[in-house]
Amino acid sequence: MRFLISAVIAAITILPAFSAPASLLDIQRYSGKKTGKYIVMLKPDATKSSVLKSMRGTATHKWDIINGFGGVFTAEESEALQSHANVKSITEDSYVTVSVT
């Protein structure tokens, strides 16, 4: 009986370490000419400084009107953003043109 209880406790504590990693947030991509930058929107209670500090990245743009920032990020920084709990969305920045007819 002790062995069974020990085995169950071991399974409960060890198995989560071998489970699949959390899924990464998809980066929204658009067709057209790209800037090479990304726009990161944060959840309402998140702070830009805490997210940037945790991923060890820097932003080229920080906005006050929206809770987010923009920048050029390495593959490692992008993956850290995609898996960060306080990131709401990541969008590939691109050029937008308007034509009047």
Side-chain angles (χ1 to χ4, degrees):
M1 183 71 168
R2 284 187 198 168
F3 175 75
L4 179 60
I5 293 172
S6 297
V8 169
I9 291 172
I12 290 171
T13 57
I14 294 173
L15 286 180
F18 295 104
S19 63
S23 61
L24 297 178
L25 188 64
D26 286 334
I27 296 176
Q28 299 172 11
R29 300 182 189 278
Y30 298 98
S31 60
K33 189 174 178 183
K34 309 294 187 277
T35 65
K37 298 178 183 177
Y38 294 90
I39 300 168
V40 180
M41 296 290 300
L42 304 178
K43 293 180 179 176
D45 57 342
T47 63
K48 294 179 262 305
S49 60
S50 67
V51 173
L52 287 166
K53 185 177 180 180
S54 70
M55 62 169 273
R56 297 181 181 166
T58 57
T60 57
H61 298 82
K62 293 181 185 176
W63 300 286
D64 293 325
I65 196 163
I66 60 170
N67 191 18
F69 55 87
V72 178
F73 305 110
T74 65
E76 292 82 17
E77 291 169 337
S78 294
E79 190 171 318
L81 285 170
Q82 288 177 281
S83 62
H84 200 288
N86 287 325
V87 174
K88 182 178 179 181
S89 68
I90 304 170
T91 305
E92 186 176 45
D93 194 17
S94 60
Y95 293 98
V96 177
T97 59
V98 178
S99 60
V100 179
T101 57

